[in-house]
Amino acid sequence: MTRATPALQIDNVTVHRGGREVLKDVTLRIDGAGLIGVVGPNGGGKSTLLSVITGRLPVSRGAVQVLGQSPARAAPRLGFVPQAAGFDRGFPISLRGMVATACLVPGLGLWRQPDRGQEARVDAALARMGLSDLAGRPLSALSGGELQRGLIARALATEPDMLLLDEPTASVDLDHAERLFELLCGLGQRVPVIVVSHDLAQIAAHSDRVFCVLGSVWEAARHASAADLAEQIFKRPAHCARREVGL
Amino acid sequence: MSLLAYAFMRWAVMAGVISALACGLIGPFVRVRRLAFLAGAVAHSALAGLGAAYYFGYSPEIGALPAAILSAFLIGWIEGRGHSDGGGHEDALIGAVWAVGMAIGVLFIARTPGYNVQLMSFLFGSILTAGPDRLWFMGAGLSIVAATLVVLWRPMIAISLDPEFARLRGLPVEALNRLLLVLIAIAVVLLIQVVGLILVLALLTLPAAIAAHWARDMRMMVALATASALAAIGLGFAQSIWLDWPAGPTIILAATGLFGLSMGLRWRVRGAQGRPALSESTRNGS
């Protein structure tokens, strides 16, 4: 990715799901590193926006460029972190085993064992998330916060050019949500980190930019408080401070 | 004279061992992917191919295998459409495949003159009828299942754990899913030889359920499921000879007994440890 290539460029995108228009004429641009918050009510289109970026959902109209490529081509360069709350903890695998699934590469690499470099990447990702001591534990023995950090470690082990997180604080308490967002801030120093969250307080406190999603997408004013965000997305979205994004 | 001096007993034991290995390899995937209903539908709809082969004068497994693979693909497609549409009614359609497959099989059987003991053994299982031909067929099927899983072990685990993440990594999730369905279909046809298609579902689920009580990872789960299946088939088979009961149902009851034993032991171990450590730490983030 060159300096001129935006990390994410979405132009006039409309998306239909089940015959319903979920996103309409969405335009946004993210140039480089930083913590980007995405907020909105349930059904507003946050998850649809994530699915469009990861190439899971085709757009009905408009254009999407992720890291200068189509979403499908850019997908292996994305570190996607799902909700820990929705993850199957009953799956018999250790934390390290789960993180090591990041080392799989398509094609002939499918049946190769991980090499030393890949093993080192897994260990480094676990250490970075403070999980080295828990590496051998099965998923069922991890707390919500530990599993969430494990899922971030798995994404980091892919050495992604962009991180996408879906509700990372949904299964952790207030204290751990704070720590998790501090970690994400650190990661946001190097790559764009896009966080979809209902946690308006954490988003307002830590994000460099915040996008509100309610069918359409607009950027909240810089340094908006959680109360401002709540007012924008739940009460008077039409009256929020809109401005052209990425210009 | 030992019973193993008889060739048919040695063949039966070998058929049991092959079946236990097939259970141990595929059962854990059926469990973690929650595919028990699919496996049941595949087993029952295999009757369509089985009946057709019988009607046209071929060996039943020649019809059962393609029918099982075809129905596995059909059911996989129905499930895939259900997920993408969000309709949520795919279970009804899978149930229909289950019943239609059986209906076709029953019609073929009804139109075939005479009464065939071999066919009944496929319905309810008859480990004692395993001969060299059937053992070769079972051995070949098991080799395909085992070799595929050994080579593609890590990607199979990855797509089972988190298909969306695997897709983003560029793994051919759909192709691997279809391959897993084929392996399940092969395993089902192998197991039909021992317990019959009516009872095959229990052998794919109970040993894996026992293994899930104790296994910390999938390798351990495969090892424990294989051991449990061996124990269930061995115990059931021995008891069926001792009591002169049909082998298939006795094997299933033995597997059920082992499952109950394992569950009781697990409660006891958890009780001795006090509050289970696992759920204690999952309540809050830490």
Side-chain angles (χ1 to χ4, degrees):
Chain A
M1 190 175 61
T2 62
R3 283 176 70 91
T5 312
L8 177 64
Q9 174 88 54
I10 297 179
D11 289 317
N12 297 313
V13 160
T14 296
V15 181
H16 290 87
R17 235 177 165 171
R20 192 171 70 89
E21 192 175 69
V22 185
L23 291 175
K24 186 182 180 188
D25 292 332
V26 171
T27 294
L28 70 86
R29 177 183 166 118
I30 294 168
D31 282 311
L35 186 63
I36 319 294
V38 177
V39 296
N42 286 335
K46 302 188 301 295
S47 301
T48 301
L49 186 62
L50 267 190
S51 296
V52 165
I53 297 170
T54 58
R56 193 180 181 194
L57 206 61
V59 300
S60 311
R61 201 170 57 235
V64 182
Q65 287 271 296
V66 182
L67 303 164
Q69 296 175 299
S70 68
R73 289 188 71 112
R77 297 168 64 195
L78 303 177
F80 179 67
V81 182
Q83 282 187 46
F87 207 79
D88 180 12
R89 286 199 213 186
F91 198 99
I93 194 167
S94 68
L95 174 60
R96 195 180 191 291
M98 181 193 73
V99 175
T101 59
C103 298
L104 280 165
V105 287
L108 290 174
L110 268 184
W111 51 74
R112 284 193 197 126
Q113 288 299 308
D115 59 31
R116 274 190 195 169
Q118 289 172 326
E119 297 279 4
R121 247 164 50 198
V122 171
D123 290 334
L126 283 165
R128 195 157 178 201
M129 288 292 112
L131 294 168
S132 298
D133 293 342
L134 307 178
R137 276 203 198 174
L139 296 190
S140 56
L142 298 176
S143 70
E146 287 162 353
L147 178 58
Q148 191 67 66
R149 281 187 285 145
L151 291 169
I152 298 173
R154 182 182 65 168
L156 290 181
T158 66
E159 298 186 327
D161 293 320
M162 185 191 290
L163 265 179
L164 301 159
L165 297 98
D166 189 9
E167 300 286 359
T169 54
S171 56
V172 298
D173 60 28
L174 208 62
D175 206 25
H176 293 93
E178 176 70 25
R179 274 197 265 164
L180 201 60
F181 263 87
E182 280 167 12
L183 268 170
L184 296 178
C185 277
L187 298 171
Q189 304 284 320
R190 292 193 310 121
V191 293
V193 177
I194 300 176
V195 185
V196 168
S197 180
H198 278 113
D199 195 337
L200 299 181
Q202 298 296 345
I203 289 283
H206 295 95
S207 301
D208 299 306
R209 297 170 70 186
V210 180
F211 291 97
C212 305
V213 185
L214 189 60
S216 60
V217 175
W218 68 94
E219 184 171 5
R222 302 255 167 167
H223 311 300
S225 67
D228 294 336
L229 291 176
E231 195 174 301
Q232 284 191 37
I233 60 175
F234 293 117
K235 290 183 181 170
R236 296 193 303 272
H239 296 171
C240 77
R242 284 173 187 259
R243 68 188 185 84
E244 288 302 317
V245 177
L247 298 175
Chain B
M1 192 172 67
S2 161
L3 283 174
L4 285 176
Y6 296 105
F8 76 90
M9 284 301 290
R10 290 198 298 274
W11 292 331
V13 169
M14 284 173 72
V17 171
I18 291 173
S19 302
L21 288 168
C23 282
L25 283 167
I26 287 296
F29 283 95
V30 170
R31 182 179 172 84
V32 299
R33 298 290 300 269
R34 295 176 168 83
L35 295 174
F37 187 50
L38 181 146
V42 167
H44 285 75
S45 53
L47 186 64
L50 212 142
Y54 174 54
Y55 178 80
F56 290 110
Y58 294 103
S59 170
E61 52 268 72
I62 289 190
L65 187 59
I69 292 173
L70 194 71
S71 67
F73 276 139
L74 183 61
I75 292 163
W77 178 75
I78 291 169
E79 276 216 321
R81 271 190 67 87
H83 283 283
S84 60
D85 290 357
H89 297 297
E90 56 271 25
D91 60 329
L93 284 175
I94 294 172
V97 173
W98 180 315
V100 168
M102 284 207 83
I104 293 170
V106 169
L107 282 178
F108 271 119
I109 294 164
R111 300 296 300 165
T112 309
Y115 180 80
N116 190 295
V117 175
Q118 193 190 22
L119 192 67
M120 292 311 287
S121 79
F122 276 92
L123 281 178
F124 301 106
S126 176
I127 196 167
L128 288 171
T129 62
D133 288 351
R134 203 182 282 183
L135 280 177
W136 274 111
F137 176 79
M138 291 178 74
L142 177 67
S143 305
I144 291 169
V145 172
T148 309
L149 284 181
V150 166
V151 171
L152 294 173
W153 179 258
R154 294 175 61 237
M156 283 296 188
I157 299 293
I159 64 156
S160 301
L161 175 67
D162 188 348
E164 177 58 12
F165 183 80
R167 186 190 65 78
L168 281 174
R169 296 300 301 142
L171 265 61
V173 176
E174 279 310 309
L176 289 168
N177 269 333
R178 290 203 182 98
L179 186 59
L180 183 61
L181 294 180
V182 170
L183 298 184
I184 290 172
I186 293 173
V188 160
V189 174
L190 299 191
L191 294 173
I192 283 174
Q193 324 272 318
V194 174
V195 289
L197 62 86
I198 309 283
L199 299 174
V200 72
L201 191 55
L203 265 195
L204 276 177
T205 53
L206 286 172
I210 293 168
H213 287 157
W214 310 101
R216 292 170 67 91
D217 59 38
M218 278 293 276
R219 280 199 173 86
M220 196 192 282
M221 198 164 169
V222 164
L224 291 176
T226 305
S228 306
L230 265 176
I233 292 171
L235 277 172
F237 184 44
Q239 205 168 6
S240 75
I241 292 170
W242 181 259
L243 299 171
D244 196 22
W245 287 0
T250 317
I251 287 170
I252 299 306
L253 289 181
T256 310
L258 288 175
F259 175 75
L261 205 65
S262 172
M263 204 156 70
L265 203 61
R266 187 164 167 251
W267 278 339
R268 208 182 154 93
V269 168
R270 289 249 170 124
Q273 287 172 346
R275 183 120 180 89
L278 305 189
S279 56
E280 182 70 35
S281 61
T282 52
R283 270 185 285 164
N284 292 305
S286 63

